[in-house]
């Protein structure tokens, strides 16, 4: 049923739990898993206006952090027996890029956390998740 699952990872405990659920589903359906982290460019663009060298430095630091996050997730998935695991880093607005990737890769399911790194408890759904649910026509697994 769910042959291709996109997991949106931001390093939060919520997205970690979304990954665990996605792995369980992938095992049932022998699915491919795409692990996606989006590096937010909003702040990066501000830095660029002031200093090109700081921009390069911050960008490569963020890329390294993203790579590490995704490799840890990949290891976890492979340890649980999944073979088809793909890592992806994109730049831009997280919700927009999650939706783009889901469309481009024609996934059947998006796994995402209710909240993320900001994680304000009184907010029922984080802004990324709200936008994804509103704009996509794909099934979304929202994990608490
Ligand atoms: N940069 C990102 N890359 C990939 N997935 C993300 C990213 N940001 C958020 N997500 C996904 O969206 C889920 C919810 O995070 P969201 O950003 O909506 O909440 P928040 O960080 O608590 O609040 P907000 O960002 O609105 O201040 C995360 O658990 C994760 O699955
Ligand atoms: Mg967030």
């Amino acid at each position: 049923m769910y042959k291709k699952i996109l997991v949106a990872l931001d390093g939060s405990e919520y997205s970690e739990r979304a990954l665990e659920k996605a792995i369980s589903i992938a095992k049932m359906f022998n699915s491919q898993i795409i692990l996606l982290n989006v590096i937010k460019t909003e702040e990066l663009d501000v830095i660029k206006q002031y200093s090109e060298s700081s921009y390069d430095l911050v960008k490569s630091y963020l890329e390294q952090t993203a790579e590490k996050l995704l490799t840890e997730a990949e290891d976890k998935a492979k340890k649980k027996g999944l073979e088809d695991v793909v890592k992806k880093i994109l730049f831009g607005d997280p919700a927009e890029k999650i939706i783009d990737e889901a469309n481009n890769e024609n996934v059947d399911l998006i796994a995402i956390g209710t909240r993320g790194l900001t994680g304000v408890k009184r907010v029922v759904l984080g802004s990324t998740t709200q936008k994804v649910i509103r704009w996509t026509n794909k099934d979304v697994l929202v994990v608490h």
Side-chain angles (χ1 to χ4, degrees):
M1 193 164 65
Y2 292 124
K3 279 302 186 192
K4 236 178 185 187
I5 304 171
L6 177 67
V7 188
L9 292 169
D10 67 347
S12 67
E13 53 178 306
Y14 300 95
S15 74
E16 250 350 272
R17 288 196 285 271
L19 170 66
E20 275 159 28
K21 295 273 165 74
I23 291 172
S24 303
I25 296 170
K27 285 188 74 169
M28 278 192 273
F29 297 109
N30 198 20
S31 335
Q32 180 184 64
I33 274 205
I34 302 171
L35 306 167
L36 171 66
N37 178 245
V38 183
I39 296 175
K40 286 193 240 176
T41 42
E42 221 177 341
E43 294 98 339
L44 266 181
D45 291 343
V46 177
I47 301 171
K48 198 170 189 174
Q49 291 174 355
Y50 292 96
S51 156
E52 195 84 32
S53 61
S54 307
Y55 168 81
D56 290 340
L57 214 66
V58 174
K59 186 168 178 263
S60 84
Y61 169 75
L62 292 174
E63 275 171 322
Q64 279 173 40
T65 310
E67 185 61 43
K68 187 165 171 274
L69 173 76
L70 295 181
T71 302
E72 276 169 17
E74 183 186 37
D75 288 347
K76 208 180 226 178
K78 294 216 158 151
K79 254 188 210 138
K80 299 237 168 101
L82 294 187
E83 282 164 15
D84 200 352
V85 185
V86 177
K87 294 179 291 176
K88 193 101 180 219
I89 298 171
L90 293 174
F91 290 86
D93 172 68
E96 263 175 43
K97 294 294 157 182
I98 291 166
I99 292 165
D100 284 354
E101 181 68 7
N103 290 336
N104 292 340
E105 288 296 328
N106 200 16
V107 307
D108 323 283
L109 183 68
I110 301 171
I112 203 166
T114 47
R115 303 184 192 88
L117 286 176
T118 309
V120 180
K121 289 271 164 25
R122 68 185 156 71
V123 178
V124 180
L125 286 180
S127 63
T128 310
T129 297
Q130 284 188 41
K131 286 184 206 162
V132 169
I133 292 173
R134 195 170 302 151
W135 295 339
T136 191
N137 56 0
K138 311 258 178 211
D139 287 359
V140 182
L141 173 69
V142 183
V143 179
H144 291 283

